[in-house]
Amino acid sequence: MSIASSLTSLAERFKASPKMPLVFLGHGSPMNAIEDTAYSRSWVELGRSLPRPQAIVMISAHWMTQGSTLVDVSAAPRTIHDFYGFPDELYQLHYPAKGAPELAKQVASMLADYKVQTDDSWGLDHGAWSLLHHLYPAADVPVFQLSIDITKDLNWQLGIGKALAKLRERGVLIIGSGNVVHNLGALQFNGKAHDWALEFDSVFADKLNQRDFAGLANTKALGSLLRMANPSLEHYAPALTIAGAASAKDQLVYTSEGIDLGAVSMRSFMFHA
């Protein structure tokens, strides 16, 4: 199916809508799914304030692929408990939302230039359901995930975001889930934030405010500060996908900020028309 025909099919199935926002959420610890925290409360509040989507595309840091980008086309995505050593209550939590197989297949066609392939073996990892549990607790909005090809650079992630942007006018909410700073090897349980974590979080916000998305993707220029803040880039990449889908006319709003456990940025933001 060509990109043009996939968009026609999309228009037939998903009604035109006011332009949907773009959301990036710092998800942090899986415990935010079951604990009453400032972050979980902000997700509940956000869910109440967002326009009702017809479907949700999630780009989560926890679905990493190598050499290809995959889109989940399962009709009933399973809840994946992809963590260890947490309370039993967390493993009992399930998010029984339906998938959106036809839309997911059309998204694969829209992203043909990025060699996106379909997959029905994934589901919803905790980067997705730990947020959706608060945003849409009734699990009554169809949702599917798009993977992150960790062999590609950050400009690739920006490009995927740009290609996804047309979904916004068909009632599809695009959510990125990760953390702007994510260095689990440097956690501090006394809560004191590392200077480099604060610095990178500030640099990120400055460049985002300036719409310097190319600067956010320039790993060479960001240098050792980026490497300290993100020893690997899978938690950072979803923020670039969301930025890539933004338009020049969008307004930028931060929905939460803060450094958790010394080395995890909970900065979250939204672009809206």
Side-chain angles (χ1 to χ4, degrees):
M1 183 183 293
S2 70
I3 293 177
S5 60
S6 73
L7 290 175
T8 300
S9 181
L10 180 66
E12 291 170 351
R13 288 185 56 85
F14 287 81
K15 297 177 181 178
S17 73
K19 199 170 189 178
M20 291 295 293
L22 298 161
V23 177
F24 172 80
L25 297 176
H27 65 244
S29 168
M31 291 299 291
N32 285 310
I34 58 174
E35 291 184 339
D36 179 21
T37 67
Y39 308 118
S40 64
R41 289 192 296 272
S42 75
W43 302 336
V44 171
E45 182 178 345
L46 179 63
R48 291 171 178 166
S49 67
L50 287 169
R52 177 79 176 178
Q54 296 182 60
I56 299 169
V57 180
M58 293 285 311
I59 301 98
S60 165
H62 293 278
W63 191 13
M64 293 171 281
T65 48
Q66 296 187 15
S68 64
T69 301
L70 301 180
V71 60
D72 179 33
V73 297
S74 57
R78 63 192 178 102
T79 302
I80 305 171
H81 298 91
D82 50 335
F83 42 74
Y84 303 94
F86 287 87
D88 288 344
E89 181 183 357
L90 201 53
Y91 298 94
Q92 299 306 313
L93 189 60
H94 290 265
Y95 192 78
K98 294 180 180 179
E102 292 307 314
L103 174 60
K105 291 173 185 175
Q106 290 162 17
V107 167
S109 295
M110 288 172 59
L111 298 176
D113 289 347
Y114 294 88
K115 312 300 182 186
V116 171
Q117 302 175 37
T118 59
D119 173 85
D120 63 1
S121 65
W122 192 247
L124 299 173
D125 58 56
H126 83 269
W129 63 258
S130 67
L131 301 173
L132 294 169
H133 169 67
H134 294 292
L135 291 168
Y136 300 102
D140 54 356
V141 180
V143 59
F144 62 97
Q145 285 194 222
L146 183 70
S147 79
I148 299 168
D149 183 350
I150 59 173
T151 68
K152 303 299 184 182
D153 65 18
L154 294 174
N155 285 306
W156 180 271
Q157 311 306 334
L158 282 174
I160 283 182
K162 185 175 181 179
L164 289 174
K166 291 183 177 65
L167 294 173
R168 299 177 64 188
E169 297 175 357
R170 293 292 165 185
V172 180
L173 178 62
I174 306 170
I175 303 178
S177 172
N179 295 100
V180 169
V181 174
H182 187 264
N183 186 338
L184 299 187
L187 296 183
Q188 297 197 136
F189 292 92
N190 63 7
K192 180 177 172 54
H194 290 284
D195 289 344
W196 47 261
L198 292 167
E199 183 180 357
F200 187 80
D201 187 60
S202 178
V203 167
F204 177 89
D206 287 346
K207 290 187 180 299
L208 195 67
N209 292 340
Q210 297 163 14
R211 305 298 203 271
D212 182 11
F213 303 152
L216 290 174
N218 190 336
T219 55
K220 184 175 181 180
L222 292 170
S224 61
L225 183 61
L226 172 63
R227 291 192 294 274
M228 180 62 75
N230 291 280
S232 57
L233 293 176
E234 77 285 343
H235 277 73
Y236 183 66
L240 276 289
T241 306
I242 296 303
S247 75
K249 294 181 179 180
D250 282 329
Q251 297 183 52
L252 171 64
V253 176
Y254 293 100
T255 60
S256 67
E257 299 178 28
I259 304 296
D260 199 24
L261 298 172
V264 177
S265 170
M266 297 299 288
R267 180 175 296 280
S268 300
F269 58 87
M270 175 173 64
F271 287 104
H272 66 92

